[in-house]
Amino acid sequence: MTYRASCPTRRAFLAQSALGLAGTAFGAYSLHAETRLLSARSPHPVSASLPDPIPAEQFRAFATHAIDAARRAGASYADVRVAERHVLSMEMASADLLRLQTTFTYGVRAVVDDHTGFAYGRSPTHDAIVVCAHNAVRNARIAARLSARTSRQFPAWTPAPPATGEWHSPMRIDPLAVSVQQHFELAHAATMAVGRMPNTQASITPAWLRETRVFAATTGALTTQYVTRGMFDATGSAQFGLGAVAVQLPELQWQSAGVELLLPPDLPERLRTEVESVMPLARLPIGSIEVGRHPIVLDGAMMGNVLTTLIGPSFELDRVLGLEVDAAGSSRLTLDALGTRIMSPLITLVGNRTPPSISAVQWDDDGNVPQEHTVVKDGVLVDFHTSAHTVAALGEWYQRQHRPLQSNGCGVAIEAQESVHVRMPHVTMRSGGRPMSLDDLCADMGHGILGVYNARLTSDAQLSSGTFPTGTFFEVVRGKPVRRIAGTVLQFSTFPFVNHLKAVGDASTVATWNDMVPKGFPWINVPCSATAPAALFGQIDAMNP
Amino acid sequence: MTREQMEALCRRILSMSTADGAYLYILHTVRSVTRLASDQVRSADDGDTLNVFLGASYGNGCFLSVQTNQVDDEALRALVARADALGTAAGPPQQLLVRQWDEQDAYMPVQLWHSSSVDAITSARETVIPPMIQTVRQHQLQTSGFIGIMARSEAILTKEGIHAFYEETDCEVSITARPADGTNSGWAGAAARDWRTLDVEQVAAAAAAIADRGRSPQAVEPGRRTAILGPGAVVQLMRFFALHFSGGWADKGQSGFSHVNGRHISIKWRQQLFDPRVNVTTDPADPDGGFRPWFQQGYADRPTIWVDRGVLKTLARGIGSIASGKPYAEMPFGLRLHGGPTTLDAMISQCDEGIYVNRVSGLECIDWSSGMITGTTRDGCFLIKNGKIDRSTKNFRFLMSPFFLLNNIIAIGPTARTAFGYTPPTIQEQSREVGDPVMSIWDWPRRPMIVPPLMVRDFNFNALSDAV
């Protein structure tokens, strides 16, 4: 590769459709109230600000061109992801600003002697993607040559069965077809409904992603996926001078869906009801809790946070195999732990990438159909989150289980120009079989700590411990929250903590947590999510900083 | 792209534009990243990306920007036509939030482009990886890590003739050495603008030496202890310290530089906040790091003294402060914490009992008013006794504020540009933006920091950590 500018004389690919032209339309709006109204009144659909859509056949031809180039250059396997994405976000805190960003990117992966090379680009020309494919093959050759001098080998590449076809994620109302005015009206409705109540506030800040992604591989795979995702922030909170206690509507989570999510007419009212439900907690006095070990009840959202931040990534097989040691980190789990009990028998965890989860796809970025897979069954480790690059490490285990050697479909390149990593799918923790509300769990606990909804959670590079440096925690005495805890840090060791699970809430306590989780190098944030019931744990360490 | 190529491209586009006001921003990045895991090349990535942003304002008051990654005439005409179509069809006038280009700022000359680094983008993999792995393997350890090399050029040009240009190269090597059973690890890293100044084998040897010495770590009682913090630990703590210089957050009482008394919030100017040996500066022309001498829409970035002999001198104010007559300053994401004469070896030899910390991670600020941070040690943690490293210890979780740390200094070592390794920005970092975090901390490589090792008293190791 030479360091030079993209050649200005290249014939533009798809020039007539203005591919590669991206707009941050609707401009920069004033901070003044009057101009906010002006911006919100635009009756035009968002799509009016975009170039004409590109026919999918042209994307596919572009992708196939890369595959042919990689094959001719000597790749034993190659795949390519080509994607055009529109991200629509509304900034409502200080100004009504609608931001629309369009990107066109691609990434080519080549395999030579079981070693991968990767190259990416943004220039939508045939010449550019051919160069990209050649660079990927060259990088794979270098990787193979350098690695040949060492004895240890990565798991063999396990290509996906060749698939062809199209898939649309479920979406009834396209966010790009909705007028700017309506986007703002929907977002303001809940805010205003809750805002009329004293000591409360609410906000819905929508962000939408629309992506067309083509995957092609030398196996003959050629798929096109049209994905729409809502990643809005929708919260309500109550506050009486001691810091807000926040809640969110279960149905307003990040998910693969369209604007229909915001249309139910009773949505503002239900958000208002949710906020009212936490007002008693918000009114509690503030205090401290004795330093030491306490039992704790985590509500569904906070349990989802534990799954998204600590537990779910621990099952990513590239972490387990040590492939991320110098980057995102490793895992406390090893292949030897398969078939053994690693957490409380009350816990069963299932991964899936089906709608409406935020990670829903028909084919992952290796071309595999994602499989719903149980990683922990009644506390016993039975599987990991896998990709085409890693699943071969489970060959022996799968053989003993009489399972075919096939990835669970957790290969993710969140943007086409990123390399593929194993990312946790949506993880669901099974709720308890008998009626057990959040109040019941607190009553069972007697004395201890209750954590609800809003807390940051940090960990270490091996995900072996967790710390809640802040959050909405309450001291529970005789089964009732009596004061809000301030100035206390809560810490735990991940697997001993989940091993001390005492009770699980019923379906009424189930909630979903979403977060952006970084991985890879250079790092890239990927939206991850988990659904869980509330849970009572035997012990957590309370410390006074 | 060279300055001449970028300016020629800008002029071509501006000559096509019918907008009343227009500016061009061009960003060209070439990047090569090679990742290793367990002595194997995990991935080898290359990328070459070009982005052209056209910002245009029209008589109706509309301002907008469009973007392309193609630079042939046809694509550029489409770009300009797109801007014109959107601009003339826009609604009623809106107040512009973009800079009114009335004068050209003068920028400091910086020399951050090194052709050796550009050459290394294509050649480094094959030359440095085999000896790097071999060096680590001599200790019966395995290599994981990355080598990243980047070349980037940026330019701004306006219809009024204002222009700014910048080019940089940057390189970083990060190596983690571990035994095959993964029971302990050692890390070393190095970063430089000029690839020739990086000694990758030396980095590998340092990582291996730490891992070798760190075998069979033992649990040591947590508590407040003397700590010797290697540069890899100090740079992570300074990453959070830098966030306290946000003037806007300080005004709200959300900074260690704020003094909150009931509803009255003031800034701790003219107070001896830190040890008098503490000096913090930024300088676009810093010989060990340096950074772009302008930010956002071409505002000049100049050498700034943030802390002088332990006293706060400057807080970062965005360009919005110009209207109120206050000087602006970009956040000190590329700070220099000035050094002292005591080498790491000298620190260890003068320590009766303490903990050597090679690196920390998982940092999170608990309380902005005190600056209290939680995090864990990693990749090399040792008990020091009677002036010598006594044994390898299990990792600790700690609670520590940089405001406390910089007031409890026993000794300061010589400074060096320090590698960050894998350090994605936290939400907290992203929220305290003044300047251009996209080009400073959001993406790799982060803006360079130059820090010394520190020996401090009463570092709060509050718990043991199970993590390796």
Side-chain angles (χ1 to χ4, degrees):
Chain A
M1 186 181 61
T2 56
Y3 180 68
R4 60 187 172 84
S6 301
C7 177
T9 57
R10 288 174 193 154
R11 178 173 170 75
F13 172 70
L14 304 176
Q16 74 280 7
S17 57
L19 183 62
L21 190 70
T24 306
F26 302 99
Y29 289 88
S30 163
L31 302 176
H32 300 295
E34 61 273 21
T35 51
R36 181 189 307 158
L37 293 173
L38 289 174
S39 65
R41 283 179 192 155
S42 172
H44 303 297
V46 175
S47 58
S49 303
L50 290 171
D52 293 336
I54 315 297
E57 305 81 61
Q58 297 189 31
F59 278 116
R60 289 193 278 264
F62 191 61
T64 306
H65 202 66
I67 292 305
D68 292 343
R71 186 190 285 118
R72 282 197 300 273
S76 60
Y77 170 87
D79 58 28
V80 60
R81 284 148 292 281
V82 179
E84 183 191 40
R85 59 160 47 190
H86 308 291
V87 176
L88 176 67
S89 56
M90 299 166 73
E91 298 173 11
M92 304 180 65
S94 56
D96 279 355
L97 174 68
L98 187 143
R99 189 182 298 276
L100 175 61
Q101 188 177 22
T102 298
T103 53
F104 174 81
T105 61
Y106 50 82
V108 181
R109 174 171 55 180
V111 177
V112 174
D113 295 337
D114 269 339
H115 284 79
T116 58
F118 179 75
Y120 62 91
R122 295 179 190 166
S123 182
T125 68
H126 279 270
D127 288 354
I129 202 166
V130 166
V131 169
C132 184
H134 288 169
N135 284 342
V137 174
R138 185 202 61 196
N139 290 340
R141 282 212 175 89
I142 292 173
R145 194 160 57 239
L146 294 173
S147 300
R149 305 176 197 185
T150 65
S151 53
R152 184 176 162 138
Q153 295 294 317
F154 288 150
W157 185 261
T158 309
T164 56
E166 289 194 348
W167 182 76
H168 295 254
S169 67
M171 179 261 291
R172 282 194 291 115
I173 301 175
D174 182 351
L176 299 183
V178 172
S179 75
V180 181
Q181 182 181 20
Q182 196 175 6
H183 274 296
F184 279 99
E185 285 173 357
L186 289 168
H188 280 308
T191 307
M192 295 176 72
V194 176
R196 289 191 204 104
M197 297 157 49
N199 301 102
T200 64
Q201 57 181 341
S203 70
I204 295 181
T205 308
W208 303 96
L209 181 142
R210 269 277 312 275
E211 184 181 78
T212 303
R213 178 173 293 214
V214 169
F215 173 87
T218 48
T219 55
L222 183 60
T223 62
T224 307
Q225 300 190 81
Y226 303 90
V227 174
T228 304
R229 291 174 178 150
M231 296 178 61
F232 37 77
D233 177 25
T235 57
S237 62
Q239 182 169 5
F240 292 89
L242 304 172
V245 179
V247 289
Q248 60 183 159
L249 280 179
E251 56 270 57
L252 283 189
Q253 298 298 312
W254 295 358
Q255 53 187 290
S256 300
V259 176
E260 66 274 9
L261 283 174
L262 297 176
L263 287 184
D266 62 340
L267 204 60
E269 188 53 39
R270 280 191 288 132
L271 185 53
R272 183 180 164 135
T273 306
E274 289 286 333
V275 172
E276 282 175 335
S277 72
V278 296
M279 289 182 92
L281 287 176
R283 285 195 173 97
L284 290 176
I286 207 158
S288 59
I289 193 167
E290 194 175 336
V291 169
R293 292 201 159 158
H294 301 271
I296 186 169
V297 169
L298 297 179
D299 75 352
M302 287 191 64
M303 192 59 214
N305 187 358
V306 172
L307 293 181
T308 304
T309 308
L310 298 178
I311 307 286
S314 294
F315 298 111
E316 293 169 351
L317 191 51
D318 52 1
R319 276 180 170 272
V320 174
L321 296 174
L323 304 183
E324 290 293 311
V325 160
D326 192 71
S330 56
S331 168
R332 292 293 288 180
L333 300 172
T334 62
L335 297 184
D336 296 340
L338 280 163
T340 66
R341 195 168 82 80
I342 58 166
M343 52 183 72
S344 162
L346 293 173
I347 298 178
T348 292
L349 301 174
V350 178
N352 76 79
R353 299 188 65 183
T354 54
S357 85
I358 191 70
S359 58
V361 288
Q362 178 66 24
W363 298 279
D364 78 346
D365 287 304
D366 295 325
N368 279 298
V369 177
Q371 308 293 315
E372 180 173 290
H373 56 283
T374 300
V375 284
V376 173
K377 184 169 174 52
D378 302 328
V380 175
L381 177 66
V382 294
D383 204 352
F384 290 104
H385 307 316
T386 58
S387 66
H389 186 46
T390 57
V391 69
L394 299 182
E396 199 179 312
W397 170 253
Y398 279 12
Q399 201 170 19
R400 291 211 304 266
Q401 309 301 311
H402 307 293
R403 287 181 53 181
L405 185 64
Q406 191 180 335
S407 162
N408 288 325
C410 299
V412 175
I414 193 68
E415 293 189 36
Q417 65 174 5
E418 305 296 335
S419 53
V420 178
H421 289 85
V422 181
R423 304 303 299 244
M424 64 175 281
H426 181 78
V427 169
T428 303
M429 177 175 159
R430 195 173 61 191
S431 54
R434 64 192 175 96
M436 180 68 80
S437 67
L438 193 64
D439 290 342
D440 294 336
L441 287 169
C442 286
D444 273 11
M445 179 171 65
H447 288 57
I449 299 171
L450 166 66
V452 297
Y453 178 57
N454 192 15
R456 291 206 309 273
L457 178 57
T458 68
S459 187
D460 52 67
Q462 213 171 16
L463 306 173
S464 65
S465 64
T467 299
F468 288 115
T470 61
T472 39
F473 294 98
F474 301 87
E475 183 175 5
V476 175
V477 176
R478 289 188 288 276
K480 302 286 183 194
V482 295
R483 68 180 62 85
R484 186 166 182 170
I485 301 169
T488 301
V489 173
L490 302 176
Q491 295 183 346
F492 57 90
S493 292
T494 307
F495 286 97
F497 181 68
V498 290
N499 214 11
H500 283 97
L501 179 66
K502 303 290 185 193
V504 177
D506 60 24
S508 71
T509 68
V510 169
T512 296
W513 182 267
N514 315 283
D515 214 343
M516 299 299 284
V517 182
K519 197 175 179 184
F521 191 87
W523 50 82
I524 181 104
N525 282 321
V526 170
C528 295
S529 60
T531 298
L536 165 61
F537 294 92
Q539 56 187 44
I540 195 166
D541 292 336
M543 323 193 98
N544 191 344
Chain B
M1 293 177 79
T2 64
R3 175 194 290 262
E4 291 73 26
Q5 286 173 314
M6 283 196 162
E7 289 183 352
L9 177 58
C10 287
R11 279 194 291 272
R12 268 169 66 206
I13 299 170
L14 290 176
S15 69
M16 298 176 186
S17 174
T18 61
D20 298 308
Y23 81 92
L24 260 300
Y25 171 67
I26 300 177
L27 172 64
H28 183 211
T29 306
V30 178
R31 197 165 69 180
S32 155
V33 172
T34 310
R35 299 186 61 198
L36 295 106
S38 307
D39 289 352
Q40 300 267 301
V41 176
R42 167 148 166 62
S43 66
D45 303 357
D46 282 338
D48 181 340
T49 55
L50 173 70
N51 275 305
V52 177
F53 300 83
L54 167 62
S57 59
Y58 295 85
N60 61 3
C62 174
F63 170 79
L64 56 86
S65 66
V66 288
Q67 171 189 345
T68 187
N69 49 19
Q70 295 181 84
V71 289
D72 59 285
D73 280 346
E74 195 172 2
L76 294 181
R77 271 195 293 273
L79 176 82
V80 171
R82 187 91 198 141
D84 286 350
L86 291 172
T88 52
Q94 297 136 20
Q95 183 179 327
L96 299 189
L97 293 180
V98 295
R99 180 179 189 179
Q100 299 300 304
W101 288 98
D102 45 7
E103 60 183 73
Q104 170 82 53
D105 281 356
Y107 307 126
M108 294 182 65
V110 296
Q111 175 49 45
L112 303 175
W113 175 274
H114 296 275
S115 57
S116 68
S117 303
V118 178
D119 295 340
I121 288 175
T122 51
S123 64
R125 282 186 184 121
E126 299 211 60
T127 54
V128 304
I129 288 174
M132 186 170 105
I133 293 174
Q134 189 56 34
T135 301
V136 175
R137 194 185 293 162
Q138 285 169 359
H139 296 257
Q140 285 76 53
L141 298 163
Q142 294 180 345
T143 304
S144 296
F146 69 81
I147 298 170
I149 309 169
M150 181 276 299
R152 176 160 62 198
S153 50
E154 296 173 74
I156 288 179
L157 193 74
T158 73
K159 210 161 188 170
E160 293 81 5
I162 307 281
H163 57 86
F165 178 79
Y166 171 66
E167 58 185 359
E168 65 176 346
T169 55
D170 208 20
C171 320
E172 184 172 0
V173 176
S174 169
I175 299 174
T176 300
R178 298 201 313 170
D181 61 8
T183 49
N184 73 293
S185 66
W187 177 85
R193 296 294 192 180
D194 184 349
W195 173 257
R196 289 173 303 182
T197 64
L198 286 185
D199 186 338
V200 178
E201 281 183 62
Q202 191 179 51
V203 176
I210 294 166
D212 214 10
R213 198 154 196 175
R215 293 179 199 266
S216 307
Q218 296 173 30
V220 170
E221 192 68 21
R224 288 185 184 271
R225 292 170 176 269
T226 295
I228 296 175
L229 306 173
V234 174
V235 77
Q236 298 294 340
L237 294 165
M238 289 303 102
R239 185 164 68 90
F240 276 74
F241 182 53
L243 304 178
H244 288 270
F245 289 96
S246 166
W249 286 88
D251 292 342
K252 295 178 201 163
Q254 292 291 305
S255 162
F257 294 118
S258 312
H259 177 71
V260 181
N261 183 9
R263 291 186 176 180
H264 180 69
I265 299 169
S266 57
I267 307 295
K268 296 175 180 171
W269 302 111
R270 294 182 292 280
Q271 295 182 35
Q272 192 69 47
L273 295 174
F274 310 112
D275 185 294
R277 289 170 288 178
V278 173
N279 292 285
V280 179
T281 59
T282 53
D283 183 354
D286 191 303
D288 295 326
F291 47 88
R292 191 176 59 182
W294 48 270
F295 69 105
Q296 287 186 334
Q297 296 154 40
Y299 291 92
D301 212 337
R302 300 186 175 88
T304 304
I305 297 171
W306 300 87
V307 174
D308 181 30
R309 285 168 287 182
V311 177
L312 174 68
K313 290 293 177 186
T314 309
L315 289 176
R317 306 274 178 191
I319 54 177
S321 67
I322 294 172
S324 57
K326 293 179 182 172
Y328 64 85
E330 193 177 14
M331 284 286 279
F333 290 130
L335 64 77
R336 172 184 280 268
L337 174 61
H338 289 250
T342 315
T343 63
L344 260 179
D345 287 344
M347 289 178 188
I348 291 170
S349 66
Q350 70 185 64
C351 179
D352 290 336
E353 183 167 333
I355 301 289
Y356 172 76
V357 179
N358 185 46
R359 196 184 184 201
V360 295
S361 72
L363 270 58
E364 181 93 8
C365 186
I366 295 171
D367 175 25
W368 283 104
S369 60
S370 67
M372 189 62 71
I373 292 169
T374 181
T376 53
T377 65
R378 65 180 293 188
D379 301 325
C381 194
F382 301 92
L383 177 67
I384 299 165
K385 270 193 171 176
N386 302 320
K388 289 182 179 164
I389 289 182
D390 183 70
R391 72 187 93 139
S392 164
T393 73
K394 290 195 169 184
N395 283 310
F396 294 98
R397 184 160 279 285
F398 62 85
L399 287 164
M400 176 51 60
S401 164
F403 288 83
F404 189 77
L405 182 95
L406 296 176
N407 231 337
N408 282 277
I409 293 174
I410 299 169
I412 306 179
T415 54
R417 163 116 188 245
T418 304
F420 284 98
Y422 176 85
T423 308
T426 63
I427 291 171
Q428 296 169 333
E429 283 180 283
Q430 294 174 36
S431 68
R432 296 204 164 205
E433 56 192 61
V434 175
D436 196 348
V438 175
M439 303 298 286
S440 310
I441 58 169
W442 280 14
D443 201 1
W444 177 87
R446 280 173 168 262
R447 185 165 284 187
M449 274 195 183
I450 299 110
V451 300
L454 292 174
M455 183 175 181
V456 298
R457 67 180 74 86
D458 293 336
F459 194 95
N460 186 6
F461 299 99
N462 71 308
L464 283 172
S465 164
D466 295 332
V468 172

